[in-house]
Each structure stands twice: as structure tokens, then as C-alpha cells.
Amino acid sequence: MERIEHDIVVIGSGLAGLRAALEASRVSHGRLDVGIVTKTQAMRSHSVAAEGGTAAVLYPDEGDSYDSHMWDTVKGSDFLADQDAVENFVHAAPEELRLLERWGLPWSRRADGRIAQRPFGGHEFPRATFAADKVGFLEMQTLYGAVQAFPNIHVHHEWYVTSLLKENGRFAGVTAINLKTGTLTVVHAKAGILATGGAGRIYGFTTNGHHSTADGLYMAYRAGLALKDLEFIQFHPTGLVPSGILITEASRGEGGYLLNIKGERFMKKYLPGKMELGPRDILSRSEIQEIREGRGFEGPHGAYVGLDLRHPGEKAIDERLPMVRELAEKYLGLDPIHEPIPVRPGQHYIMGGVSTNLHGETNVPGLYAVGEAACVTINGANRLGSNSLSECLVFGTATGLSAAAYAKKRGWPRGTAAKEALAKEEGRIFGGLMKHEVGKESVAAIRKEMQQIMDRDVGIFRDEKGLTDACAKLATLRQRFVDVGVADKDRVFNTELTQALELDFMLDVAQAIAWSALNRRGSRGAHSRTDHTTRDDANYLKHSLAYRGDGAPRIDYLPVTI
């Protein structure tokens, strides 16, 4: 067993985690020791996959306004966003983008030299700030470069956090496996920031990377915290078939069309005003409707619709969407200059997460959450495209400030709870899961069944029967997981063990998603019930809160801030 100490430990190294670590260091003038613990190499965090843009009001002199961005966000959320959070968000976002520019991010430019912005779904003004179609990678590169300037920030690459530690009800640190050695390590800290991203791999067809596995959500859930609004799962309308890789919304912002097998721009039937630039929930449902009514293309990997980029021309594509062309050519042998790209909706984002306030604070003193793992909430029932990267930056800053202020005032936790928790984790992982004989249950089989259940019954369209069935089947999978064994007994880079631990986390969070969806008997945003088709403000203009129980989660509710 190893033991290390940091004043603040950040769990996760995506945009939100890096921004929080930077702000905690800046505000403390480098006096606080900040540790970043990440299960990947930091620059492989899923934020690098973001392509299209980062929303902010940069040009009020040209007609945009904070009120407009706020209205678009609240309306896009189907009025479930907390409006104080949205107001805070839209006012803080522009300075975050300018700060990235000062740190060296090469934003795309207009002819007059000002930072370029393009249209994005659900926004009334072209406020998606971009760097070609590689904005996430370049933002990550910029922040990671900035981190290198702070000797007090220490990055622990390829460490897998397994649990949160509490001492007298306060955050006290984490347990983590150093994947390079297989050693279980205690990271003591005065404050902790959960920045572990989403949980896309709970679903089968997803734009998320393989390490988006609900780790932070589960650890908070297990520690007794509420997971807010988990039923709201965003499906991105343009997942590449069959891989699910994201084809950015910028492809539609740059003029791309969605076509059915008849060659029709079918969005004129569903959203004639916005067409392909409508909110993602509406576009995803429209695509599925076209497919269900027999107007989709049929292929060896199922039905799909076409994303047509032929009309913008080769020069525009190579300047604005080079990665889209590269992905289509690399994965399908298809050049979008000459033929449409096969796409269909794929799980993309979880609007819900660990319940926090505007400063990232949770109900456990000293524990914070930010980014996709958190729910502030500015996204409500449906997130607008390009708001998520701004959210990571804005609330990453706020959370870093808050955690630093807390850590400055707190002493080191010195009780025995951490030691006892470590012994429990050692027994659970190495004395339990690793020692199980490989039997009739496998990680791959249970994971595949979970994903099939979620795709089928907790997907774009839902009903009572399907959700009830999903809850029952997920509970059965949870029971079957007890018989999972790990064949590889070596501790060094044991990916089989890591996948087993990830599946353990995902099963609990999948149940929380399904039960939250079952209990919301009305449609709103990305939660579309075919048996309760109308939005029910009288009974469901409120946030759901899922708490972990012995069996099914307990579902509570919280008013929306209006």
C-alpha cells in the first residue's frame, strides 16, 4: 500500500478537471498542492473528442446578447434548467474563451481577424466559437500546456480511483489503483473534485470513448449523494454508422443536410423553421421516426439516414471540417465531398449527474463535482450543442476557486475511517473480485446485455412496459455480477480487472437511470414517453434525485429555480 497527500485531489483530467486544477493553483498562487488522478494519460481524456464549438456571447455589438444565450439555453432545456445557474454561465463564458486565447489557443478567425463563430443547433445567434472541427483537442492541449507551468500540480496518469473516503462526514481522500504497478494507493486530501465525465458506455451505440464508464457518478452515489436528473440522456443525431463515432454538429452548422432514402430534407416536416439546426432531442426523434416509417437507408449494420455535405464544397470542408472528412474516409472509405455519410442517433451526453450548487459543492463538505459528472443544472432536460465545453470551463473555474478556499481553511483528516475504508477496498477488489474463479458469468456478456437493455428500453422513445422490464432485468444483471471472475491474476496493467470494476459501477448507475425514467411519467426534452406524450408542468416541473438503496434506488424531487 502507498500513501500520498495533496491539499486538493482532482479525479479526472478532462476540460473540467484541468480548468479546476488550474484555477485552484492560480488563486492560491501555487501554495496549494494539487493532484490530478486520471485513469488514462491525461491528454486521452474524452474531452479531446469534442469537435464543433464552445458557446459564448462574444459580439453583443453585432446583435448577440446574454439574454438571448440565456433564453436559448432555458428553452432548449425544456424549461428544466435552473435559471440562476444559466445566468451565471452565460455571463462568465466569454472571458473563459478569451483567457484560452491568451494562453495560446488558435481559434479560427474571420476575415476581419476577430474570432470566428458559427451556427449551432438551438442557438438563435451563431455563437459556437471553434477551431476548425478539433476544438476539444485544442482546448485540452492549451489547458494541459498551462498545467505544466505550475510545479505544484502533480498529474498521476493511469491511476484508477475506486472509492471516496470520508472522515466524520467530510471528504478525506480517495483510494486508487496505480495501473502501472497494481498497487492500491490512498490519496489523502482536504478537498476533492469529481471531474470524471459521462457514462456513455452504459449504452451500446454511443459517441463516447471506452473509458466513459460512470466512475464518478457511482462513487458519489455509493457515498450517499444524490444523482440528479439522470433520466435525461442526450442522443446526438449524427453518430457514424456502425462505430458511433461523433460526426460533429458543426457539419450541420456549416450547411449539412439530413436526407432520407427519397433524398428529402425530412426536417422540413418536423421543424421547418430551424431544419437541421434544431435541438438535438428533436432531430434524434425525427430521424428515428423516419427510420420507423420506412424512409431510412438499410445497411448491414441497421437502418440510418444520410448526412449530406456535398454542396458546401471541398474547400469549405477542408477548412472547416477536416476531421469529419478524415473520419468518413478512415472508417468507411467514403469521401463526404462525393456521397452522404451514414448516421443515426447515438448516446452522447448525460444531462444529469452529481447534484451540486453553482460553486460545485455537494452535500459532503470538501467534495465537489464539475463537468458532465455534475448537474448544476444548466442543461435541464436537453443540452444545447456547444454549451458543454463552456460549462466545463465556467464551472471548472468556480469549483477550483471554491475547493481552494475550503482547503486553505481545513486541517488534514487524521481519523481511522480512511484506514478502514482502504482495508475494505483491498478486500473487495483483490480479496474478492480477483480471487473469484472464472465461472459462468463474464464481464463482456453482462456488459453487452446491459447495453442492449438500455438501447432498447431506455433510449430515445420510452414507455412504462419497457422501463419496468429494464428495471427488472438490470436488477438481475446486478445479481449475476456477483459470479463474475477475473482470469488474469497479474496486478500490472490488468485491463480485465479494470473493466470488471467499471461494469460494477455502470450497473448501479444504469439502474438509477432506468428508475428515474420510469418515475417521470411525462415527456420533456430528451425524455420522450410514448405513453405520456405531453409535458406535465403541474407534476414534473422538478428535478429528480436518485439515492442508492439496498434494491431499487429511492427517487425524490427538487424544485427548479425559476
Side-chain angles (χ1 to χ4, degrees):
M1 183 196 82
E2 294 180 7
R3 181 182 181 278
I4 60 174
E5 288 184 349
H6 294 293
D7 292 304
I8 299 171
V9 60
V10 180
I11 305 115
S13 58
L15 279 177
L18 292 181
R19 188 66 189 89
L22 280 167
E23 199 59 28
S25 296
R26 291 175 73 206
V27 73
S28 68
H29 304 290
R31 295 190 183 96
L32 289 174
D33 186 304
V34 179
I36 300 174
V37 181
T38 171
K39 70 177 179 180
T40 68
Q41 196 283 335
M43 273 300 293
R44 293 189 65 222
S45 295
H46 191 60
S47 294
V48 300
E51 300 170 23
T54 306
V57 178
L58 294 185
Y59 302 122
D61 58 320
E62 296 181 1
D64 201 4
S65 70
Y66 295 128
D67 281 353
S68 174
H69 191 185
M70 185 174 176
W71 167 246
D72 290 345
T73 300
V74 172
K75 182 182 178 185
S77 79
D78 218 346
F79 300 93
L80 202 71
D82 286 328
Q83 294 174 18
D84 57 342
V86 177
E87 185 172 27
N88 176 287
F89 162 70
V90 301
H91 280 84
E95 182 53 31
E96 289 293 326
L97 270 61
R98 295 187 183 105
L99 182 59
L100 284 176
E101 180 185 30
R102 292 196 289 275
W103 282 345
L105 197 149
W107 295 116
S108 292
R109 298 282 169 176
R110 306 189 319 193
D112 63 3
R114 302 178 90 181
I115 295 173
Q117 294 185 296
R118 60 182 161 210
F120 239 64
H123 293 274
E124 294 296 332
F125 192 89
R127 63 174 69 94
T129 314
F130 63 99
D133 57 355
K134 301 180 181 180
V135 65
F137 172 77
L138 290 168
E139 287 181 357
M140 280 287 292
Q141 191 176 57
T142 301
L143 291 181
Y144 188 60
V147 162
Q148 308 311 308
F150 287 87
N152 63 305
I153 300 180
H154 307 278
V155 184
H156 303 285
H157 303 278
E158 297 174 325
W159 283 33
Y160 184 55
V161 176
T162 66
S163 71
L164 306 176
L165 304 179
K166 290 192 292 184
E167 192 73 58
N168 298 321
R170 295 180 178 275
F171 176 80
V174 300
T175 60
I177 301 172
N178 181 340
L179 298 176
K180 296 181 285 294
T181 64
T183 307
L184 189 63
T185 305
V186 175
V187 182
H188 285 288
K190 300 172 185 176
I193 300 173
L194 280 171
T196 53
R201 286 290 156 176
I202 287 173
Y203 287 80
F205 190 70
T206 176
T207 66
N208 284 199
H210 284 277
H211 49 266
S212 296
T213 52
D215 304 347
L217 298 179
Y218 171 80
M219 286 186 281
Y221 191 46
R222 180 181 171 189
L225 292 171
L227 300 183
K228 185 195 296 179
D229 290 343
L230 276 195
E231 63 268 40
F232 298 108
I233 306 294
Q234 182 166 90
F235 290 82
H236 197 290
T238 51
L240 185 67
V241 178
S243 64
I245 292 170
L246 175 68
I247 299 298
T248 174
E249 190 161 320
S251 58
R252 287 174 281 120
E254 296 293 343
Y257 301 154
L258 290 172
L259 303 179
N260 61 22
I261 197 168
K262 296 181 178 181
E264 300 169 331
R265 288 182 68 187
F266 57 84
M267 285 309 302
K268 65 186 177 186
K269 293 186 296 185
Y270 302 99
L271 203 64
K274 300 292 289 183
M275 296 289 283
E276 287 86 3
L277 291 177
R280 292 171 176 176
D281 58 333
I282 297 176
L283 266 71
S284 293
R285 288 196 294 272
S286 302
E287 289 181 13
I288 295 300
Q289 196 66 26
E290 288 294 296
I291 288 170
R292 285 184 173 182
E293 293 178 4
R295 292 186 293 276
F297 297 88
E298 288 296 334
H301 303 285
Y304 61 89
V305 297
L307 174 62
D308 188 1
L309 292 171
R310 291 174 291 186
H311 48 287
E314 185 170 7
K315 184 175 184 294
I317 297 301
D318 286 344
E319 284 181 0
R320 299 291 184 105
L321 301 169
M323 189 166 159
V324 169
R325 188 177 189 185
E326 180 184 340
L327 288 171
E329 290 177 333
K330 180 178 289 186
Y331 288 93
L332 295 179
L334 176 157
D335 189 345
I337 303 301
H338 303 297
E339 54 185 313
I341 303 170
V343 295
R344 68 167 176 261
Q347 190 284 339
H348 182 61
Y349 189 89
I350 292 185
M351 267 70 77
V354 181
S355 183
T356 74
N357 65 13
L358 297 181
H359 309 289
E361 296 169 332
T362 71
N363 287 338
V364 172
L367 179 62
Y368 302 79
V370 69
E372 193 176 352
C375 187
V376 178
T377 166
I378 67 162
N379 298 313
N382 178 61
R383 174 178 70 80
L384 290 192
S386 74
N387 269 357
S388 62
L389 301 187
S390 312
E391 178 186 6
C392 288
L393 298 169
V394 167
F395 292 106
T397 299
T399 301
L401 285 169
S402 187
Y406 179 89
K408 286 178 186 176
K409 296 184 295 185
R410 298 300 305 176
W412 288 100
R414 295 301 184 193
T416 61
K419 185 177 180 180
E420 292 164 3
L422 176 67
K424 189 175 180 181
E425 276 301 275
E426 184 84 40
R428 179 177 78 91
I429 298 168
F430 298 113
L433 195 57
M434 278 279 279
K435 286 194 174 177
H436 284 177
E437 292 302 319
V438 179
K440 60 182 179 180
E441 300 294 357
S442 73
V443 169
I446 292 179
R447 183 176 57 213
K448 184 176 181 180
E449 288 187 49
M450 173 192 68
Q451 292 170 339
Q452 289 172 338
I453 291 165
M454 297 300 287
D455 282 348
R456 182 181 63 243
D457 296 325
V458 200
I460 293 174
F461 290 106
R462 305 163 176 183
D463 60 34
E464 190 90 6
K465 182 179 181 299
L467 290 169
T468 301
D469 189 48
C471 290
K473 287 179 177 175
L474 289 168
T476 300
L477 292 181
R478 173 80 273 175
Q479 294 166 358
R480 286 170 51 191
F481 181 80
V482 175
D483 294 323
V484 165
V486 176
D488 184 358
K489 305 302 181 184
D490 190 351
R491 289 194 176 199
V492 176
F493 273 115
N494 190 331
T495 55
E496 186 184 6
L497 174 63
T498 305
Q499 289 176 15
L501 292 170
E502 289 172 337
L503 177 60
D504 191 14
F505 293 177
M506 288 192 288
L507 285 168
D508 266 24
V509 176
Q511 285 184 286
I513 293 170
W515 278 99
S516 297
L518 177 61
N519 278 267
R520 187 176 287 272
R521 292 177 172 87
S523 291
R524 184 183 294 272
H527 176 66
S528 184
R529 292 279 299 253
T530 57
D531 50 350
H532 298 282
T533 56
T534 57
R535 191 177 75 198
D536 184 354
D537 287 342
N539 295 304
Y540 291 106
L541 184 57
K542 53 190 179 183
H543 301 296
S544 66
L545 299 171
Y547 293 91
R548 190 169 183 245
D550 291 335
R554 172 171 63 88
I555 308 297
D556 232 332
Y557 292 93
L558 183 73
V560 175
T561 302
I562 296 176

